[in-house]
Amino acid sequence: MRQWKHISIFVSSTFKDMDVERDALRTLVEPKVNKYLEKYMLSVEFIDLRHSVKTDKDFNETERERQICSVCFREIDRSSPYFIGLLGHRYGWIPPEGIIENQSVNVFPIADRLLSVTAHEYLRGLFAGQQSVRGCVFVRNESSYRNLKSESLSDFVEDGIKRLLVVDIREYLLKNKDIYTIDYSIDLSNVSSSAIAEWVGIAYDSGLKLLEPECRVSDNEDELSEFLYHQERYVQNKVKKFKGRNNELEDFTEKIENRNGCIL
């Protein structure tokens, strides 16, 4: 008997330069993917931690930084084997020693002490899993910046050693045949729905490619199974935006899952 399955996909990137793609994933790609997945009784959520990591106000700065990193890695593990990377030309914050706990094996041609938090996320999500990784990395090319004003360019491209380090990451991933990479360009001087439509289409197709093994539905479903499928679909759609009356919701969901009758 088919059951609804929820899938989490962790999204990793530096923050400052990837707002456009992150916003598009959540507001445009995710709803479109979920619409397609309904017939398979699947739902997906892109895990974006830009604004959702809370820290203990009594912690000092080092403790807060350690807590934030711990939450990120826990979410990567929870989302495994699914992982999406958004890679541009910013390297990100390099944490001091002791911030990253249970560090993954470093496969990048970069000294451990120079690994950024984002690099650590890539190592955890793409190379540390015990099962086959279903991940991809969208690699933004430099033509994306050609129409930007010079004063805005620093928001997207770092200078100095960090520029060299991000090049090392990019080259390693692009040359690694085991990693699914997608080269793309997006005009960051003209951010609108129409301007990013091509990237949204690429992201949608790539997301479905990652989820393809999950999309297995029997062709021999009987009428009762089909009826229960539509009941579960109804519950899933309502739960997404449901607030309050949690006891009633839990009872409602339990009846569906245990097949203790029909919900009219």
Side-chain angles (χ1 to χ4, degrees):
M1 196 74 69
R2 288 186 291 173
Q3 300 279 341
W4 274 94
K5 180 177 181 180
H6 178 75
I7 298 168
S8 298
I9 302 179
F10 188 86
V11 179
S12 174
S13 76
T14 47
F15 287 161
K16 190 175 183 179
D17 57 328
M18 285 291 176
D19 279 337
V20 171
E21 287 90 335
R22 281 180 173 267
D23 288 343
L25 280 175
R26 291 302 303 273
T27 62
L28 299 174
V29 180
E30 184 178 306
K32 188 177 179 181
V33 169
N34 277 321
K35 184 66 176 177
Y36 175 82
L37 293 177
E38 282 183 349
K39 60 186 175 183
Y40 298 107
M41 294 183 70
L42 298 170
S43 64
V44 69
E45 178 184 12
F46 294 113
I47 304 301
D48 184 342
L49 298 183
R50 278 179 296 179
H51 312 297
S52 57
V53 179
K54 296 181 180 180
T55 59
D56 193 316
K57 63 181 180 180
D58 295 325
F59 282 1
N60 61 37
E61 183 177 359
T62 297
E63 290 171 330
R64 286 196 298 272
E65 290 171 348
R66 186 181 294 114
Q67 185 179 27
I68 291 171
C69 291
S70 178
V71 170
C72 289
F73 297 137
R74 186 163 61 246
E75 287 299 310
I76 291 173
D77 292 342
R78 186 176 69 85
S79 300
S80 180
Y82 293 101
F83 181 91
I84 285 178
L86 304 173
L87 184 57
H89 292 81
R90 292 189 67 84
Y91 187 64
W93 176 56
I94 300 175
E97 186 177 353
I99 295 296
I100 305 295
E101 299 175 337
N102 301 318
Q103 179 176 318
S104 300
V105 175
N106 181 13
V107 300
F108 293 137
I110 296 171
D112 288 358
R113 62 183 177 81
L114 294 178
L115 289 172
S116 67
V117 170
T118 306
H120 279 288
E121 290 177 356
Y122 276 65
L123 291 172
R124 186 78 163 227
L126 294 173
F127 301 101
Q130 298 299 313
Q131 52 185 320
S132 179
V133 173
R134 297 178 191 169
C136 66
V137 180
F138 295 91
V139 183
R140 183 201 283 160
N141 65 53
E142 289 188 275
S143 64
S144 302
Y145 317 125
R146 61 190 171 196
N147 295 322
L148 285 176
K149 296 180 179 179
S150 56
E151 57 266 27
S152 300
L153 190 58
S154 61
D155 290 339
F156 299 93
V157 180
E158 288 185 299
D159 293 324
I161 187 172
K162 286 189 174 182
R163 181 165 188 165
L164 300 176
L165 292 172
V166 78
V167 168
D168 288 339
I169 298 281
R170 290 169 62 92
E171 290 183 350
Y172 181 88
L173 293 175
L174 288 170
K175 292 177 181 178
N176 190 321
K177 295 182 179 179
D178 293 327
I179 302 299
Y180 174 33
T181 57
I182 305 100
D183 180 84
Y184 74 97
S185 178
I186 185 169
D187 185 357
L188 292 168
S189 68
N190 177 31
V191 178
S192 64
S193 295
S194 58
I196 64 173
E198 182 179 356
W199 186 83
V200 168
I202 293 171
Y204 171 75
D205 291 339
S206 300
L208 292 187
K209 182 176 180 179
L210 295 184
L211 295 163
E212 186 177 0
E214 303 281 358
C215 299
R216 301 288 184 266
V217 179
S218 172
D219 293 328
N220 299 317
E221 297 289 346
D222 56 28
E223 291 184 4
L224 176 59
S225 296
E226 194 66 22
F227 176 72
L228 293 172
Y229 156 70
H230 286 293
Q231 282 196 328
E232 290 179 346
R233 175 179 170 182
Y234 175 80
V235 172
Q236 286 290 325
N237 288 335
K238 292 299 182 183
V239 165
K240 290 178 183 178
K241 296 183 179 180
F242 185 89
K243 295 184 182 297
R245 296 193 313 232
N246 290 325
N247 291 336
E248 294 179 31
L249 175 61
E250 291 172 1
D251 180 63
F252 182 62
T253 304
E254 183 179 0
K255 287 179 179 179
I256 291 293
E257 292 177 347
N258 294 335
R259 314 298 190 220
N260 289 333
C262 299
I263 306 300
L264 300 178

